[in-house]
Amino acid sequence: MRAAAVLLAMTLAGGTAVLQGPATAQEAAAGPREHVVVSFDDTPIVTDLHLPPGATAQTPVPVVLSGHGWGLDRGSQARASTFGALQDAGYAVVTWDARGFGQSGGTVQVDSPDFEVKDVQAIIDWVATQPEIALDGPGDPVLGMVGPSYGGGIQLATATFDRRVDAIAPEITWHDLNRALQPQGVLKLVWQSALFGLGVTTGTVQGLDPTGPAAPQGGTVPPQLFDALVQAVVDNGFDEELTTYFAGRSLSDYGVNGVLDVPTLLLQGSVDTLFTIDEAVDTYYDLRDRDVPTKLVVFCGGLEEAGSDDGAVTHGQCPTFYEPAGDRARMDDLILRWFDAHLRGMAVDTGPAVEYRTNTGDWHRADAWPPPATDRLDISLTGTVSSLGVPGNGFGIAATAAPPGSPFQATTSVASTATAGRQIEVVGQPRLDLDVTGTGEGAHLFVRLVDTVAGELPVGGSAVNNQETPLRIGPLSDQPQTLSQPLVAAAYTYAPDSPLSIQVDTQSAMYTFARTGPAQVDLTGTLTVPYRTLVTDRVGGSDRVATAAELSRDSVVAGDTVVVATARDYPDALAGAPLARALGAPLLLTDPTRLDDRVRREIRRLGATQAVLLGGQAVLPTGIADELTALGLDVRRVAGPDRFTTAAAIAAELPSTTAYVVLGRDWPDAVSAAAPAAGAGAPVLLTTTDVLPDATLQALQTGGVTDVVVVGGTAAVSGAVETTLTDAGLTVTRLAGPDRYATSAAVAATTPGARTVVAAAGTDWPDALAAAAATAAWDGVLVLVDGRDLDRSRPTLELVEATAYDRLVISGLEAAVSTAQGRRLADAADRGTPPTG
């Protein structure tokens, strides 16, 4: 067993790493343990071992090797957010200056299996001798690897050739380096120049410091990078020798002989124009097809978002008009989950096989990449474009839309009416089938999806994910040249009012132009775009605590506050949903005997500094508050002696002219009420069937409430209670139906215009408990359904059928809503009329 079971016994207690403080005060003050590892060819590799507090020979810990990006050094990784997260979680971290960079010696060999891999193997040999590092066996540490870009490439290579690597988490890295640098034979000259220039500068300068631990080192870049730059400038392409060189540094090549079979978490940026989504997807397919544990995460960003950006050239930056989604905190959390599961052997939910987000900022989950499309657009392309055919190159690293009227581009748009006014989500690869004729020796064509509405500049719109796909054509004649080419994979959502446009251009902001002389290109073809109008996400965990934490992860990007309620009963949590929403906080649940580890993880992801406990010590004892305080949170309690007074205490923090009143001895109507109440910032107050409690009446009278919404029929909240409310001068509206599902539909119908619907099981409350706060965060509506047979919840099914939502979130796993009923619900949600309001 690679992640040793003995490690779990030594370092874990109740599922949480138990670390007892620094090994020695001297070591804690000294900082990292610096060491010069001598590689196979006597090249000195400068290495730092960072031990977490409490790591000793008696309590050894797993180690994670953190590799830096191109042109950087080990210090950049020590300043990255992932480094801090790993240290806080009790992992030792090794950073090192890769061969030729920083203070290490030697010539850069571009993550070669014959050089950099052997350097890392020498580091692993040394790490295995350190007494604080847990071992799987003699010379074999319990070991993971992280790092972006160049630091991701070394993970794939090392794990392929060294069986001691137990798990990896490469970010924004490559599968095929030739494809990354010259897709379809068209060069990214800006990237060639940046990689060469940055490599020369940092590879030859940083190591000259005479005070360095390995003495002055004159690291440099290999001659092949000089050749690559020269060939790019002079020949507009690589020769066979250079192509072979880059292939030998690619998993697509060396992976054929050395089988990569360690658990692999792939994190890739949708707007990364050096290493596109396709690079990670090909690695994902390779591992998935061989049943290797693998997960693909697509975020919005590039190198800057992947770690420290000290001096780095970003691969692609998330446009400011994309919705933020807390990508870095989410990825650090996923990395920790991955290593806890595959290094420590903990029972940690690492989530579905695929997680991704588009420009809307919402995170989605899928069982595979791409998620299945439900329809497709076949867009006919016709037009004529001109190519100057003179040396030239775009001077950016992002594709840009061409301005209208340019003779170098042809644009075809499909109006939103083609999808009946719905949003469309394009996740995966559109395919272009194109016939070209014309005159001239050849041309480069650049094909891009364009959103003509979105963008920071009004002219031309925005190139989707900053990407475009190059094609090399020629020689041209009146005989058609037929091309069939998938475009760069996309992860993008078009708004209902945004036409989907396709541009074919002979000029680019990021690629070399053809140098074959003037050409005229006549285009005829079809672009097939798979899409779906409804995105379905199942958000849940193994129990109510896990489901609440997962709902938090998908609905709250970050926040300084968490609201915590007991997982053993429902009143406090349901009354607390509006407070959570008002504070921009998630509603988390915990067993009252101890603070659940899932809650700890979510607090860490959020970066929270404050906690609000709902309910008295009878439901959440002092020990829970003490554990939260020990995590560094300021804790306060909102409570009363019973559920009615606790709800009243919560209401005191929610000034509103409207309040919802529900039966406090049953949960379905309270669940239905909590979502719109949270959305409106209105309190949820509790009553008995026949008597309005004094605490509830007082909360209404002192809170400035003028309007009360009673949720539930008279069997739940009697006419006598309604009379008490009207006698108190309050205007009362009742929302009710003959059963819980009809009541749920009646409540949901009061929120027109919502484009997200959250479905929770109406037969039991655990998976519905935290859904109300999440629903409000998504500006959605919540409906109760029978998860075994939707026909038993016909009123809510009919509501969903009548409204075409953009997103369906199913709260809970199979036990809450079965797969079959989830599909029925999705089909219903995808059939209706787009909401208005």
Side-chain angles (χ1 to χ4, degrees), residues 25 36 100 145 175 194 199 203 288 306 349 392 403 414 429 441 469 482 501 519 540 575 590 624 658 667 674 679:
V36 178
M145 296 183 74
H175 180 85
R288 181 201 63 181
D349 182 7
V414 177
Q429 288 184 300
E441 287 300 310
T469 302
T482 299
S501 295
T590 186
I624 297 294
T658 300
W667 64 271

PDB file of all heavy atoms in Angstrom, residues 25 36 100 145 175 194 199 203 288 306 349 392 403 414 429 441 469 482 501 519 540 575 590 624 658 667 674 679:
ATOM      1  N   ALA A  25      12.431  24.032  19.224  1.00  0.00           N
ATOM      2  CA  ALA A  25      12.327  25.481  19.046  1.00  0.00           C
ATOM      3  C   ALA A  25      13.399  25.975  18.073  1.00  0.00           C
ATOM      4  O   ALA A  25      13.175  26.875  17.270  1.00  0.00           O
ATOM      5  CB  ALA A  25      12.483  26.182  20.403  1.00  0.00           C
ATOM      6  N   VAL A  36      21.910  20.688  -0.569  1.00  0.00           N
ATOM      7  CA  VAL A  36      22.299  20.599  -1.965  1.00  0.00           C
ATOM      8  C   VAL A  36      22.343  19.124  -2.353  1.00  0.00           C
ATOM      9  O   VAL A  36      23.200  18.372  -1.871  1.00  0.00           O
ATOM     10  CB  VAL A  36      23.656  21.267  -2.233  1.00  0.00           C
ATOM     11  CG1 VAL A  36      24.045  21.108  -3.709  1.00  0.00           C
ATOM     12  CG2 VAL A  36      23.617  22.738  -1.857  1.00  0.00           C
ATOM     13  N   GLY A 100      19.325  24.277 -13.861  1.00  0.00           N
ATOM     14  CA  GLY A 100      19.533  25.441 -14.706  1.00  0.00           C
ATOM     15  C   GLY A 100      18.846  26.700 -14.224  1.00  0.00           C
ATOM     16  O   GLY A 100      19.090  27.778 -14.763  1.00  0.00           O
ATOM     17  N   MET A 145       3.145  15.248  -5.297  1.00  0.00           N
ATOM     18  CA  MET A 145       3.783  16.353  -6.011  1.00  0.00           C
ATOM     19  C   MET A 145       2.736  17.370  -6.442  1.00  0.00           C
ATOM     20  O   MET A 145       1.622  16.993  -6.827  1.00  0.00           O
ATOM     21  CB  MET A 145       4.547  15.845  -7.240  1.00  0.00           C
ATOM     22  CG  MET A 145       5.715  14.932  -6.926  1.00  0.00           C
ATOM     23  SD  MET A 145       6.648  14.420  -8.424  1.00  0.00           S
ATOM     24  CE  MET A 145       7.522  15.950  -8.814  1.00  0.00           C
ATOM     25  N   HIS A 175       0.436  17.958 -22.233  1.00  0.00           N
ATOM     26  CA  HIS A 175       0.433  16.558 -22.616  1.00  0.00           C
ATOM     27  C   HIS A 175       1.328  16.363 -23.829  1.00  0.00           C
ATOM     28  O   HIS A 175       2.092  15.402 -23.887  1.00  0.00           O
ATOM     29  CB  HIS A 175      -1.003  16.113 -22.933  1.00  0.00           C
ATOM     30  CG  HIS A 175      -1.128  14.677 -23.335  1.00  0.00           C
ATOM     31  ND1 HIS A 175      -1.252  13.657 -22.421  1.00  0.00           N
ATOM     32  CD2 HIS A 175      -1.157  14.088 -24.565  1.00  0.00           C
ATOM     33  CE1 HIS A 175      -1.350  12.499 -23.052  1.00  0.00           C
ATOM     34  NE2 HIS A 175      -1.291  12.730 -24.354  1.00  0.00           N
ATOM     35  N   ALA A 194       8.934  34.584 -25.245  1.00  0.00           N
ATOM     36  CA  ALA A 194       8.853  34.741 -23.789  1.00  0.00           C
ATOM     37  C   ALA A 194       9.587  33.621 -23.069  1.00  0.00           C
ATOM     38  O   ALA A 194      10.331  33.860 -22.114  1.00  0.00           O
ATOM     39  CB  ALA A 194       7.388  34.795 -23.359  1.00  0.00           C
ATOM     40  N   GLY A 199      13.886  32.296 -19.885  1.00  0.00           N
ATOM     41  CA  GLY A 199      14.801  31.217 -19.534  1.00  0.00           C
ATOM     42  C   GLY A 199      16.240  31.672 -19.496  1.00  0.00           C
ATOM     43  O   GLY A 199      16.994  31.343 -18.582  1.00  0.00           O
ATOM     44  N   GLY A 203      17.949  31.733 -16.030  1.00  0.00           N
ATOM     45  CA  GLY A 203      18.829  30.583 -15.988  1.00  0.00           C
ATOM     46  C   GLY A 203      20.298  30.950 -15.905  1.00  0.00           C
ATOM     47  O   GLY A 203      21.115  30.139 -15.472  1.00  0.00           O
ATOM     48  N   ARG A 288      -8.115   7.796 -17.347  1.00  0.00           N
ATOM     49  CA  ARG A 288      -9.466   7.266 -17.134  1.00  0.00           C
ATOM     50  C   ARG A 288      -9.661   5.943 -17.857  1.00  0.00           C
ATOM     51  O   ARG A 288     -10.234   4.994 -17.296  1.00  0.00           O
ATOM     52  CB  ARG A 288     -10.489   8.284 -17.627  1.00  0.00           C
ATOM     53  CG  ARG A 288     -11.940   7.872 -17.435  1.00  0.00           C
ATOM     54  CD  ARG A 288     -12.850   8.648 -18.368  1.00  0.00           C
ATOM     55  NE  ARG A 288     -12.556   8.363 -19.781  1.00  0.00           N
ATOM     56  CZ  ARG A 288     -13.200   8.940 -20.788  1.00  0.00           C
ATOM     57  NH1 ARG A 288     -14.133   9.838 -20.562  1.00  0.00           N
ATOM     58  NH2 ARG A 288     -12.895   8.623 -22.044  1.00  0.00           N
ATOM     59  N   ALA A 306      -2.469  30.014 -10.560  1.00  0.00           N
ATOM     60  CA  ALA A 306      -2.061  28.670 -10.157  1.00  0.00           C
ATOM     61  C   ALA A 306      -1.074  28.686  -9.001  1.00  0.00           C
ATOM     62  O   ALA A 306      -0.839  27.671  -8.379  1.00  0.00           O
ATOM     63  CB  ALA A 306      -1.438  27.931 -11.332  1.00  0.00           C
ATOM     64  N   ASP A 349     -14.003  12.591   0.722  1.00  0.00           N
ATOM     65  CA  ASP A 349     -14.707  12.670  -0.545  1.00  0.00           C
ATOM     66  C   ASP A 349     -13.934  13.610  -1.473  1.00  0.00           C
ATOM     67  O   ASP A 349     -13.829  14.808  -1.199  1.00  0.00           O
ATOM     68  CB  ASP A 349     -16.130  13.183  -0.316  1.00  0.00           C
ATOM     69  CG  ASP A 349     -16.948  13.250  -1.602  1.00  0.00           C
ATOM     70  OD1 ASP A 349     -16.450  12.769  -2.645  1.00  0.00           O
ATOM     71  OD2 ASP A 349     -18.066  13.784  -1.565  1.00  0.00           O
ATOM     72  N   GLY A 392       4.646  38.281 -40.114  1.00  0.00           N
ATOM     73  CA  GLY A 392       3.933  39.028 -39.092  1.00  0.00           C
ATOM     74  C   GLY A 392       3.542  38.116 -37.959  1.00  0.00           C
ATOM     75  O   GLY A 392       3.613  36.895 -38.071  1.00  0.00           O
ATOM     76  N   PRO A 403     -12.586  43.254 -35.618  1.00  0.00           N
ATOM     77  CA  PRO A 403     -13.619  44.289 -35.742  1.00  0.00           C
ATOM     78  C   PRO A 403     -14.489  44.032 -36.967  1.00  0.00           C
ATOM     79  O   PRO A 403     -14.028  43.460 -37.960  1.00  0.00           O
ATOM     80  CB  PRO A 403     -12.813  45.578 -35.887  1.00  0.00           C
ATOM     81  CG  PRO A 403     -11.506  45.139 -36.445  1.00  0.00           C
ATOM     82  CD  PRO A 403     -11.239  43.789 -35.857  1.00  0.00           C
ATOM     83  N   VAL A 414     -25.340  33.184 -35.082  1.00  0.00           N
ATOM     84  CA  VAL A 414     -26.617  32.507 -34.894  1.00  0.00           C
ATOM     85  C   VAL A 414     -27.334  33.225 -33.758  1.00  0.00           C
ATOM     86  O   VAL A 414     -26.827  33.289 -32.637  1.00  0.00           O
ATOM     87  CB  VAL A 414     -26.430  31.021 -34.549  1.00  0.00           C
ATOM     88  CG1 VAL A 414     -27.771  30.358 -34.293  1.00  0.00           C
ATOM     89  CG2 VAL A 414     -25.717  30.324 -35.695  1.00  0.00           C
ATOM     90  N   GLN A 429     -15.508  20.322 -27.245  1.00  0.00           N
ATOM     91  CA  GLN A 429     -14.898  20.747 -28.503  1.00  0.00           C
ATOM     92  C   GLN A 429     -15.905  20.851 -29.635  1.00  0.00           C
ATOM     93  O   GLN A 429     -16.439  19.837 -30.086  1.00  0.00           O
ATOM     94  CB  GLN A 429     -13.805  19.750 -28.916  1.00  0.00           C
ATOM     95  CG  GLN A 429     -12.551  19.813 -28.059  1.00  0.00           C
ATOM     96  CD  GLN A 429     -11.479  18.879 -28.588  1.00  0.00           C
ATOM     97  OE1 GLN A 429     -11.675  17.681 -28.668  1.00  0.00           O
ATOM     98  NE2 GLN A 429     -10.342  19.447 -28.957  1.00  0.00           N
ATOM     99  N   GLU A 441      -0.513  30.777 -52.594  1.00  0.00           N
ATOM    100  CA  GLU A 441       0.219  29.616 -52.113  1.00  0.00           C
ATOM    101  C   GLU A 441      -0.375  29.039 -50.827  1.00  0.00           C
ATOM    102  O   GLU A 441      -0.275  27.859 -50.567  1.00  0.00           O
ATOM    103  CB  GLU A 441       1.692  29.981 -51.883  1.00  0.00           C
ATOM    104  CG  GLU A 441       2.476  30.170 -53.166  1.00  0.00           C
ATOM    105  CD  GLU A 441       2.469  28.908 -53.998  1.00  0.00           C
ATOM    106  OE1 GLU A 441       2.769  27.828 -53.438  1.00  0.00           O
ATOM    107  OE2 GLU A 441       2.159  28.985 -55.205  1.00  0.00           O
ATOM    108  N   THR A 469      -8.377  28.621 -32.745  1.00  0.00           N
ATOM    109  CA  THR A 469      -7.748  27.425 -33.303  1.00  0.00           C
ATOM    110  C   THR A 469      -7.122  27.777 -34.646  1.00  0.00           C
ATOM    111  O   THR A 469      -7.810  28.264 -35.551  1.00  0.00           O
ATOM    112  CB  THR A 469      -8.792  26.315 -33.493  1.00  0.00           C
ATOM    113  OG1 THR A 469      -9.405  26.022 -32.238  1.00  0.00           O
ATOM    114  CG2 THR A 469      -8.146  25.057 -34.054  1.00  0.00           C
ATOM    115  N   THR A 482     -10.244  19.987 -48.204  1.00  0.00           N
ATOM    116  CA  THR A 482     -11.195  19.671 -47.138  1.00  0.00           C
ATOM    117  C   THR A 482     -10.465  19.522 -45.818  1.00  0.00           C
ATOM    118  O   THR A 482      -9.458  18.803 -45.713  1.00  0.00           O
ATOM    119  CB  THR A 482     -11.957  18.377 -47.465  1.00  0.00           C
ATOM    120  OG1 THR A 482     -12.686  18.563 -48.691  1.00  0.00           O
ATOM    121  CG2 THR A 482     -12.937  18.035 -46.353  1.00  0.00           C
ATOM    122  N   SER A 501     -21.383  33.569 -32.318  1.00  0.00           N
ATOM    123  CA  SER A 501     -20.733  33.952 -33.569  1.00  0.00           C
ATOM    124  C   SER A 501     -19.464  33.147 -33.785  1.00  0.00           C
ATOM    125  O   SER A 501     -18.753  32.807 -32.839  1.00  0.00           O
ATOM    126  CB  SER A 501     -20.392  35.447 -33.554  1.00  0.00           C
ATOM    127  OG  SER A 501     -21.553  36.231 -33.522  1.00  0.00           O
ATOM    128  N   ALA A 519      -3.046  35.950 -50.689  1.00  0.00           N
ATOM    129  CA  ALA A 519      -3.971  34.854 -50.997  1.00  0.00           C
ATOM    130  C   ALA A 519      -5.395  35.324 -50.758  1.00  0.00           C
ATOM    131  O   ALA A 519      -5.650  36.222 -49.947  1.00  0.00           O
ATOM    132  CB  ALA A 519      -3.671  33.628 -50.141  1.00  0.00           C
ATOM    133  N   GLY A 540     -24.017  16.869  -3.174  1.00  0.00           N
ATOM    134  CA  GLY A 540     -24.336  16.130  -1.961  1.00  0.00           C
ATOM    135  C   GLY A 540     -23.139  15.387  -1.428  1.00  0.00           C
ATOM    136  O   GLY A 540     -22.075  15.330  -2.045  1.00  0.00           O
ATOM    137  N   ALA A 575     -34.430  28.247  10.475  1.00  0.00           N
ATOM    138  CA  ALA A 575     -34.595  29.650  10.866  1.00  0.00           C
ATOM    139  C   ALA A 575     -33.336  30.448  10.581  1.00  0.00           C
ATOM    140  O   ALA A 575     -33.391  31.665  10.363  1.00  0.00           O
ATOM    141  CB  ALA A 575     -34.956  29.740  12.352  1.00  0.00           C
ATOM    142  N   THR A 590     -23.055  20.418  12.000  1.00  0.00           N
ATOM    143  CA  THR A 590     -22.089  19.571  12.674  1.00  0.00           C
ATOM    144  C   THR A 590     -22.773  18.739  13.735  1.00  0.00           C
ATOM    145  O   THR A 590     -23.805  19.140  14.284  1.00  0.00           O
ATOM    146  CB  THR A 590     -20.962  20.399  13.320  1.00  0.00           C
ATOM    147  OG1 THR A 590     -19.955  19.519  13.843  1.00  0.00           O
ATOM    148  CG2 THR A 590     -21.489  21.275  14.448  1.00  0.00           C
ATOM    149  N   ILE A 624     -18.064  22.851  21.079  1.00  0.00           N
ATOM    150  CA  ILE A 624     -18.043  23.251  19.669  1.00  0.00           C
ATOM    151  C   ILE A 624     -17.480  24.661  19.541  1.00  0.00           C
ATOM    152  O   ILE A 624     -16.654  24.946  18.663  1.00  0.00           O
ATOM    153  CB  ILE A 624     -19.450  23.167  19.055  1.00  0.00           C
ATOM    154  CG1 ILE A 624     -19.963  21.726  19.067  1.00  0.00           C
ATOM    155  CG2 ILE A 624     -19.456  23.739  17.648  1.00  0.00           C
ATOM    156  CD1 ILE A 624     -19.192  20.789  18.188  1.00  0.00           C
ATOM    157  N   THR A 658     -41.210  42.174   6.245  1.00  0.00           N
ATOM    158  CA  THR A 658     -41.902  40.926   5.960  1.00  0.00           C
ATOM    159  C   THR A 658     -41.285  39.810   6.777  1.00  0.00           C
ATOM    160  O   THR A 658     -40.069  39.784   7.005  1.00  0.00           O
ATOM    161  CB  THR A 658     -41.798  40.568   4.463  1.00  0.00           C
ATOM    162  OG1 THR A 658     -42.394  41.619   3.699  1.00  0.00           O
ATOM    163  CG2 THR A 658     -42.507  39.252   4.150  1.00  0.00           C
ATOM    164  N   TRP A 667     -41.040  19.947   9.437  1.00  0.00           N
ATOM    165  CA  TRP A 667     -40.018  20.605   8.635  1.00  0.00           C
ATOM    166  C   TRP A 667     -40.385  20.945   7.193  1.00  0.00           C
ATOM    167  O   TRP A 667     -39.810  21.891   6.641  1.00  0.00           O
ATOM    168  CB  TRP A 667     -38.753  19.753   8.624  1.00  0.00           C
ATOM    169  CG  TRP A 667     -38.964  18.412   7.965  1.00  0.00           C
ATOM    170  CD1 TRP A 667     -39.382  17.268   8.564  1.00  0.00           C
ATOM    171  CD2 TRP A 667     -38.801  18.103   6.583  1.00  0.00           C
ATOM    172  NE1 TRP A 667     -39.474  16.255   7.656  1.00  0.00           N
ATOM    173  CE2 TRP A 667     -39.125  16.736   6.425  1.00  0.00           C
ATOM    174  CE3 TRP A 667     -38.415  18.840   5.463  1.00  0.00           C
ATOM    175  CZ2 TRP A 667     -39.078  16.100   5.192  1.00  0.00           C
ATOM    176  CZ3 TRP A 667     -38.362  18.211   4.236  1.00  0.00           C
ATOM    177  CH2 TRP A 667     -38.683  16.844   4.097  1.00  0.00           C
ATOM    178  N   ALA A 674     -37.951  28.770   3.872  1.00  0.00           N
ATOM    179  CA  ALA A 674     -36.634  29.309   4.195  1.00  0.00           C
ATOM    180  C   ALA A 674     -35.932  29.888   2.979  1.00  0.00           C
ATOM    181  O   ALA A 674     -35.199  30.878   3.090  1.00  0.00           O
ATOM    182  CB  ALA A 674     -35.772  28.219   4.835  1.00  0.00           C
ATOM    183  N   GLY A 679     -33.777  34.720   0.481  1.00  0.00           N
ATOM    184  CA  GLY A 679     -33.591  35.591  -0.668  1.00  0.00           C
ATOM    185  C   GLY A 679     -34.046  37.007  -0.406  1.00  0.00           C
ATOM    186  O   GLY A 679     -33.475  37.959  -0.943  1.00  0.00           O
TER     187      GLY A 679
END
